[in-house]
Coordinates of all heavy atoms in Angstrom, one line a residue:
C288 N 25.5 0.3 2.7 CA 25.1 1.4 3.6 C 26.2 1.8 4.5 O 26.5 2.9 4.8 CB 23.8 1.0 4.4 SG 22.3 1.0 3.4
L302 N 26.7 11.4 8.5 CA 25.5 10.8 7.8 C 25.3 9.4 8.4 O 26.2 8.6 8.6 CB 25.9 10.6 6.3 CG 24.9 9.8 5.5 CD1 23.5 10.5 5.4 CD2 25.4 9.5 4.1
T303 N 24.0 9.2 8.8 CA 23.6 7.9 9.3 C 22.9 7.2 8.2 O 21.8 7.6 7.8 CB 22.7 8.1 10.6 OG1 23.5 8.8 11.6 CG2 22.3 6.7 11.1
C304 N 23.4 6.0 7.8 CA 22.8 5.2 6.7 C 22.4 3.9 7.3 O 23.2 3.1 7.8 CB 23.7 5.1 5.6 SG 23.0 4.3 4.1
T305 N 21.1 3.5 7.2 CA 20.6 2.3 7.7 C 19.9 1.5 6.6 O 19.5 2.0 5.6 CB 19.6 2.5 8.9 OG1 18.5 3.3 8.4 CG2 20.3 3.2 10.0
R307 N 17.1 -2.0 6.0 CA 16.1 -2.9 6.6 C 15.5 -3.7 5.5 O 15.4 -3.3 4.4 CB 15.1 -2.1 7.4 CG 14.1 -1.3 6.6 CD 13.2 -0.4 7.4 NE 12.2 0.2 6.7 CZ 11.4 1.2 7.1 NH1 11.6 1.7 8.3 NH2 10.5 1.8 6.3
T327 N 20.6 1.1 -5.7 CA 21.0 1.6 -4.4 C 22.3 2.3 -4.5 O 22.5 3.4 -3.8 CB 21.1 0.4 -3.5 OG1 19.9 -0.4 -3.5 CG2 21.4 0.8 -2.0
S330 N 21.6 5.8 -5.9 CA 20.8 6.7 -5.0 C 21.7 7.1 -3.8 O 21.7 8.3 -3.5 CB 19.6 5.9 -4.5 OG 18.8 5.5 -5.6
L331 N 22.5 6.2 -3.2 CA 23.3 6.6 -2.1 C 24.5 7.5 -2.6 O 24.9 8.4 -1.8 CB 23.9 5.3 -1.4 CG 22.9 4.5 -0.7 CD1 23.5 3.3 0.0 CD2 22.1 5.3 0.4
V334 N 23.1 10.8 -2.5 CA 22.9 11.2 -1.1 C 24.1 11.9 -0.6 O 24.1 13.0 0.0 CB 22.4 10.0 -0.3 CG1 22.4 10.4 1.2 CG2 21.0 9.6 -0.7
A338 N 23.2 15.5 -1.7 CA 22.0 15.8 -0.9 C 22.3 16.6 0.4 O 21.4 17.2 1.0 CB 21.2 14.5 -0.6
A340 N 22.6 15.3 3.3 CA 21.6 14.7 4.2 C 22.3 14.2 5.5 O 23.5 14.0 5.5 CB 20.9 13.5 3.6
G341 N 21.5 14.1 6.6 CA 22.0 13.6 7.8 C 21.6 12.2 8.0 O 22.2 11.4 8.8
T342 N 20.5 11.7 7.3 CA 20.0 10.4 7.5 C 19.6 9.8 6.1 O 19.0 10.6 5.3 CB 18.7 10.4 8.4 OG1 19.1 10.9 9.7 CG2 18.2 9.0 8.6
A343 N 19.9 8.6 5.9 CA 19.5 7.9 4.7 C 19.1 6.5 5.1 O 19.7 5.8 6.0 CB 20.7 7.8 3.7
V344 N 18.0 6.0 4.5 CA 17.4 4.7 4.9 C 17.2 4.0 3.6 O 16.5 4.5 2.7 CB 16.1 4.9 5.6 CG1 15.5 3.5 5.9 CG2 16.3 5.7 6.9
V345 N 17.7 2.7 3.5 CA 17.5 1.9 2.4 C 16.5 0.8 2.8 O 16.9 0.0 3.8 CB 18.8 1.3 1.8 CG1 18.5 0.3 0.7 CG2 19.7 2.4 1.4
S346 N 15.4 0.6 2.2 CA 14.4 -0.4 2.5 C 14.2 -1.3 1.4 O 13.9 -0.9 0.3 CB 13.1 0.3 2.9 OG 12.1 -0.7 3.2
L356 N 12.2 -1.5 -3.6 CA 13.3 -0.8 -3.0 C 13.1 0.6 -2.9 O 12.7 1.3 -3.8 CB 14.6 -1.0 -3.9 CG 15.8 -0.3 -3.5 CD1 16.4 -0.9 -2.2 CD2 16.9 -0.3 -4.6
D357 N 13.2 1.2 -1.6 CA 13.0 2.6 -1.4 C 14.3 3.1 -0.7 O 14.9 2.5 0.2 CB 11.9 2.8 -0.4 CG 10.5 2.4 -1.0 OD1 10.3 2.8 -2.2 OD2 9.8 1.7 -0.4
V358 N 14.8 4.2 -1.3 CA 16.0 4.9 -0.7 C 15.5 6.3 -0.3 O 15.2 7.1 -1.2 CB 17.1 4.9 -1.7 CG1 18.3 5.6 -1.1 CG2 17.5 3.5 -2.2
Y359 N 15.6 6.6 1.0 CA 15.1 7.9 1.5 C 16.3 8.6 2.1 O 17.1 8.1 2.7 CB 14.0 7.7 2.5 CG 13.8 8.9 3.4 CD1 13.1 10.0 3.0 CD2 14.4 8.9 4.7 CE1 12.9 11.1 3.8 CE2 14.2 10.0 5.5 CZ 13.4 11.1 5.1 OH 13.3 12.2 5.9
D360 N 16.3 9.9 1.9 CA 17.2 10.8 2.6 C 16.5 12.1 3.0 O 15.5 12.5 2.4 CB 18.4 11.1 1.7 CG 18.1 12.0 0.5 OD1 18.1 13.2 0.7 OD2 17.9 11.5 -0.6
D361 N 17.0 12.7 4.0 CA 16.4 14.0 4.5 C 17.3 15.2 4.1 O 17.3 16.2 4.8 CB 16.3 13.9 6.1 CG 17.7 13.8 6.7 OD1 18.7 13.6 6.0 OD2 17.7 13.8 8.0
G362 N 17.8 15.1 2.9 CA 18.7 16.1 2.4 C 17.9 17.3 1.8 O 16.7 17.5 2.1
E402 N 10.3 11.0 -5.7 CA 9.6 12.1 -5.0 C 10.6 13.0 -4.2 O 11.4 12.5 -3.4 CB 8.6 11.5 -4.0 CG 7.5 10.6 -4.6 CD 6.6 10.0 -3.6 OE1 6.7 10.4 -2.4 OE2 5.7 9.2 -4.0
S403 N 10.5 14.2 -4.6 CA 11.4 15.2 -3.9 C 10.9 16.6 -4.0 O 10.1 16.9 -4.9 CB 12.8 15.1 -4.6 OG 13.7 16.0 -3.9
G406 N 14.3 21.2 0.0 CA 14.3 21.2 1.5 C 13.5 20.1 2.2 O 13.5 20.1 3.4
E407 N 13.0 19.2 1.4 CA 12.1 18.1 2.0 C 12.7 16.7 1.7 O 12.0 15.7 1.9 CB 10.7 18.2 1.5 CG 10.0 19.5 1.9 CD 8.6 19.6 1.4 OE1 8.1 18.5 0.9 OE2 7.9 20.6 1.5
G408 N 13.9 16.6 1.3 CA 14.5 15.3 1.1 C 14.0 14.6 -0.2 O 13.3 15.2 -1.0
T409 N 14.4 13.4 -0.4 CA 14.2 12.6 -1.6 C 13.9 11.2 -1.3 O 14.5 10.6 -0.4 CB 15.4 12.7 -2.6 OG1 15.7 14.1 -2.8 CG2 15.1 12.0 -3.9
V410 N 12.9 10.6 -2.1 CA 12.6 9.2 -2.0 C 12.7 8.6 -3.4 O 12.1 9.1 -4.3 CB 11.2 8.9 -1.4 CG1 11.0 7.4 -1.5 CG2 11.1 9.4 0.0
V411 N 13.6 7.6 -3.6 CA 13.7 6.9 -4.8 C 13.0 5.5 -4.6 O 13.4 4.8 -3.8 CB 15.1 6.7 -5.3 CG1 15.2 5.9 -6.5 CG2 15.8 8.1 -5.5
A412 N 12.0 5.2 -5.4 CA 11.2 4.0 -5.2 C 11.3 3.2 -6.5 O 10.9 3.6 -7.6 CB 9.8 4.3 -4.9

Side-chain angles (χ1 to χ4, degrees):
C288 288
L302 173 64
T303 300
C304 185
T305 58
R307 71 186 186 193
T327 307
S330 301
L331 290 181
V334 169
T342 301
V344 178
V345 178
S346 175
L356 174 71
D357 295 313
V358 181
Y359 161 77
D360 70 82
D361 60 355
E402 298 180 3
S403 184
E407 297 184 5
T409 303
V410 176
V411 177

